[in-house]
Amino acid sequence: MNENIIIQLEDVRKSYGRQEVLKGINLSIVEGKTTLIVGASGQGKSQIIKHILGLVKPDSGKVLVYGKEINKVSKRELKEIRTNFGVLFQNAALFDSMTVYDNVALPLRERTKKSEDEIARIVSEKLALMDIEGSDDKYPAQLSGGMRKRVGLARALVLNPKIIFFDEPTTGLDVAKSNEIYRVFSRTQARLGYTSVIVSHDVPKIFKLADYVALLHNGAIQDCLTPEKFQLSDDPVIKEFVETTMGPLYSSEMEV
Amino acid sequence: MLKYFEKLGTYALDYINEAGRMGIFLFHSAVSIVKPPYKIFPVLKQTYIIGTLSIFVILFTGAFTGMVLGLQGYHTLSKFGAEGLLGSAVSLSLIRELGPVLAALMVTGRAGSAMCAEIGVMRISEQIDALECMAIDPHKYIVAPKFIAGIISLPLLTAIFDVIGIFGGYLIGVGLLGANEGMYFSSIYKDVEFSDVYMGFVKSLCFGMLIIWICSSKGFFVHLSRDGGYGAEGVSRVTTDAVVLSSVSILVFDYFLTSVLL
């Protein structure tokens, strides 16, 4: 990876009580690319994102975003760094007492000085991009899981962030809904060109979106490779992961 | 034996941690109130929720508190032939003590619990994390309007409580038990001074801040609460904690404020 690295995790460790969740994470996120973090459930994948976002402080190690250590910067600098972020949380984290429209409009109202007319134009444009026009007045509780994720994505994209984090974007959705999310994702990334970090275990489908795949195993990043190299890796842990999630088909390619 | 001390130490450290967290929370909230931009609509909305929606319960409890004061006061004072002082007894009890305390307790039960649960649910459903990631300060967005609304609402609710209580006392003392109407009001006019109203005002202001501080910080830190805070059970537990702690703090602070202001 000789491209521009914008996020770097160096030997990040984190324990909760006596359980060490992250045991020395080393990971680099390249600008303009999609990095996928995979691994079994409960390995701490979401924790990596939370560390990058500055929501959780590591016990030791460094999390560098644009060269700045995120948990050592001032509150003002942290806020400035976060203006580059867009986050789609696992459960979408929509504000449940606000309508879809207000949810998507919130970052514009709070972070910009745009007029309500301009906000309305941007919000309807983003909702159209997600194919959810006409749901403006609904509340999150009235939406299906897939729609909620799309509203979450619209809200994450509304300020045209440079880096977007997706925490399990398709968990709990059926195949058709997952495909819809992937379609929306590809379309928006092609149009907006953001850097993205995806945490998912929807393997192998999600591989199509990724430029790099990192496997989190036993609290550490096993390796970060292109999807092709990942699938053909000799590393026994990666090989086992590929075989378990994708079947022996992929591993047999090595033998040919 | 060693385990017992270890446990005791852990509890002590937890309490110190929580106190520190709440202190920092108060500081951040105070800074966020002062820091621009200033938005009026969220404050109005919170004033409606904390203040306007509490009026009914304040009217109700205020009236009955005044009525029972009238009843008790009349019977006690008549033993000394001092029924004429009923007005000042009722009004001074209400203005200096019962008005601010009972209004604060009512607001804690009605609005404080709701506030704690609302913020707690926002925390466990990652809505507060989402705000932080959007570079929106949750103190400014969620807590500051509630603080301002609490500071505005509590003195006004206390004033309503006092007035309705005095009329409740009048209704029973004069209307039912036959105390002299003129004496009732003239004793109020004669004995209630500005310092009494000032004491009630300062108390209600402090209680307003205390309720919002305790209830919102308890909800805000539900995920860090001592016995594992996540989930509906965690929210219900901190809500109970918040109401109990607010109510106890109101009574404790009341004593100290009275001793300072007297």
Side-chain angles (χ1 to χ4, degrees):
Chain A
M1 287 191 226
N2 50 2
E3 296 109 317
N4 193 16
I5 292 169
I6 50 172
I7 298 170
Q8 198 156 15
L9 285 90
E10 292 175 8
D11 199 28
V12 171
R13 288 170 187 274
K14 180 74 185 174
S15 300
Y16 289 99
R18 283 180 191 156
Q19 191 194 1
E20 194 175 24
V21 184
L22 304 180
K23 301 172 185 170
I25 298 285
N26 289 294
L27 180 68
S28 302
I29 308 292
V30 179
E31 190 168 25
K33 303 285 183 193
T34 300
T35 304
L36 172 66
I37 302 168
V38 292
S41 299
Q43 290 275 335
K45 299 189 293 291
S46 303
Q47 283 297 316
I48 297 180
I49 288 196
K50 286 189 174 171
H51 275 82
I52 300 173
L53 294 170
L55 294 173
V56 177
K57 278 186 185 173
D59 297 335
S60 66
K62 284 181 188 173
V63 180
L64 302 163
V65 181
Y66 290 114
K68 286 179 184 164
E69 209 170 323
I70 195 129
N71 34 44
K72 291 206 173 142
V73 295
S74 66
K75 225 180 155 191
R76 183 189 292 251
E77 271 182 299
L78 180 62
K79 205 173 165 187
E80 215 165 278
I81 292 172
R82 280 175 171 163
T83 55
N84 297 299
F85 293 166
V87 187
L88 173 60
F89 282 87
Q90 193 166 348
N91 61 1
L94 298 176
F95 301 108
D96 41 23
S97 49
M98 287 185 195
T99 61
V100 165
Y101 178 90
D102 288 333
N103 261 285
V104 181
L106 180 77
L108 293 165
R109 285 181 181 148
E110 293 296 317
R111 291 247 313 269
T112 68
K113 286 181 177 163
K114 293 186 193 305
S115 67
E116 271 303 315
D117 289 344
E118 215 172 334
I119 289 172
R121 186 185 56 73
I122 298 170
V123 171
S124 45
E125 184 192 307
K126 294 292 176 200
L127 291 178
L129 191 67
M130 302 297 149
D131 295 329
I132 37 173
E133 311 104 305
S135 305
D136 306 27
D137 296 332
K138 287 189 178 156
Y139 284 88
Q142 297 170 303
L143 302 177
S144 67
M147 282 174 87
R148 238 178 281 171
K149 295 236 170 178
R150 277 183 283 167
V151 176
L153 192 53
R155 190 180 67 182
L157 293 173
V158 80
L159 287 174
N160 296 328
K162 291 183 189 141
I163 312 167
I164 303 204
F165 299 88
F166 299 91
D167 192 356
E168 308 275 11
T170 56
T171 303
L173 302 182
D174 62 30
V175 181
K177 293 277 178 344
S178 303
N179 288 341
E180 245 177 74
I181 293 281
Y182 292 141
R183 217 169 24 245
V184 167
F185 176 85
S186 307
R187 199 169 13 158
T188 51
Q189 203 191 22
R191 230 179 96 179
L192 305 169
Y194 47 75
T195 307
S196 58
V197 180
I198 306 177
V199 159
S200 176
H201 45 231
D202 192 7
V203 176
K205 245 197 279 169
I206 195 110
F207 274 28
K208 285 181 200 158
L209 303 174
D211 293 302
Y212 297 103
V213 181
L215 174 67
L216 179 67
H217 177 75
N218 211 8
I221 296 288
Q222 202 63 28
D223 212 341
C224 185
L225 304 162
T226 61
E228 296 76 27
K229 283 186 185 158
F230 185 88
Q231 286 165 42
L232 301 172
S233 171
D234 294 337
D235 186 299
V237 176
I238 298 181
K239 209 167 168 181
E240 196 196 330
F241 178 81
V242 170
E243 270 183 36
T244 319
T245 54
M246 303 158 92
L249 176 76
Y250 290 85
S251 55
S252 65
E253 277 182 42
M254 284 295 284
E255 292 155 20
V256 178
Chain B
M1 188 69 179
L2 205 67
K3 259 189 182 170
Y4 175 75
F5 280 110
E6 197 181 311
K7 224 174 185 179
L8 202 70
T10 316
Y11 270 122
L13 282 177
D14 279 342
Y15 277 114
I16 293 168
N17 260 331
E18 191 173 350
R21 247 192 333 256
M22 285 174 74
I24 295 169
F25 178 89
L26 182 65
F27 173 74
H28 282 312
S29 304
V31 171
S32 69
I33 291 171
V34 186
K35 221 165 58 179
Y38 309 109
K39 293 195 174 177
I40 190 77
F41 181 72
V43 175
L44 290 177
K45 188 180 166 191
Q46 290 305 322
T47 310
Y48 173 75
I49 293 171
I50 298 169
T52 314
L53 293 181
S54 301
I55 287 177
F56 180 72
V57 75
I58 290 293
L59 287 174
F60 202 70
T61 48
F64 274 92
T65 307
M67 282 158 71
V68 82
L69 280 176
L71 198 60
Q72 291 275 24
Y74 184 84
H75 283 293
T76 311
L77 290 170
S78 62
K79 284 183 184 170
F80 311 103
E83 300 94 328
L85 294 174
L86 183 65
S88 61
V90 169
S91 56
L92 284 175
S93 316
L94 281 167
I95 293 170
R96 294 169 71 126
E97 202 54 59
L98 291 174
V101 171
L102 290 179
L105 290 175
M106 289 302 130
V107 171
T108 304
R110 212 207 58 79
S113 55
M115 187 187 307
C116 178
E118 181 195 339
I119 298 176
V121 168
M122 287 186 83
R123 170 61 79 187
I124 62 163
S125 58
E126 294 180 314
Q127 293 176 43
I128 294 178
D129 287 348
L131 278 175
E132 286 187 12
C133 293
M134 284 189 257
I136 299 169
D137 181 4
H139 289 277
K140 178 87 194 161
Y141 183 73
I142 304 171
V143 185
K146 294 188 197 306
F147 258 99
I148 302 171
I151 291 168
I152 296 171
S153 303
L154 250 293
L156 292 174
L157 289 172
T158 304
I160 294 172
F161 192 101
D162 291 348
V163 170
I164 211 74
I166 289 169
F167 276 101
Y170 167 82
L171 200 72
I172 298 300
V174 177
L176 200 70
L177 301 172
N180 185 288
E181 184 178 356
M183 289 288 275
Y184 186 87
F185 284 110
S186 69
S187 68
I188 295 175
Y189 186 72
K190 196 160 59 79
D191 293 330
V192 177
E193 291 171 0
F194 176 75
S195 61
D196 302 316
V197 179
Y198 176 74
M199 181 193 268
F201 175 75
V202 171
K203 280 184 178 180
S204 63
L205 210 62
C206 293
F207 295 158
M209 286 192 266
L210 201 64
I211 295 167
I212 312 295
W213 175 35
I214 293 173
C215 292
S216 50
S217 67
K218 280 275 179 187
F220 199 84
F221 295 119
V222 58
H223 60 310
L224 300 174
S225 72
R226 201 164 33 257
D227 21 39
Y230 278 99
E233 206 181 309
V235 174
S236 77
R237 205 180 300 139
V238 289
T239 307
T240 312
D241 278 1
V243 172
V244 172
L245 186 62
S246 296
S247 309
V248 171
S249 308
I250 287 165
L251 296 172
V252 172
F253 259 74
D254 183 45
Y255 171 78
F256 288 112
L257 281 171
T258 310
S259 64
V260 170
L261 291 166
L262 266 178

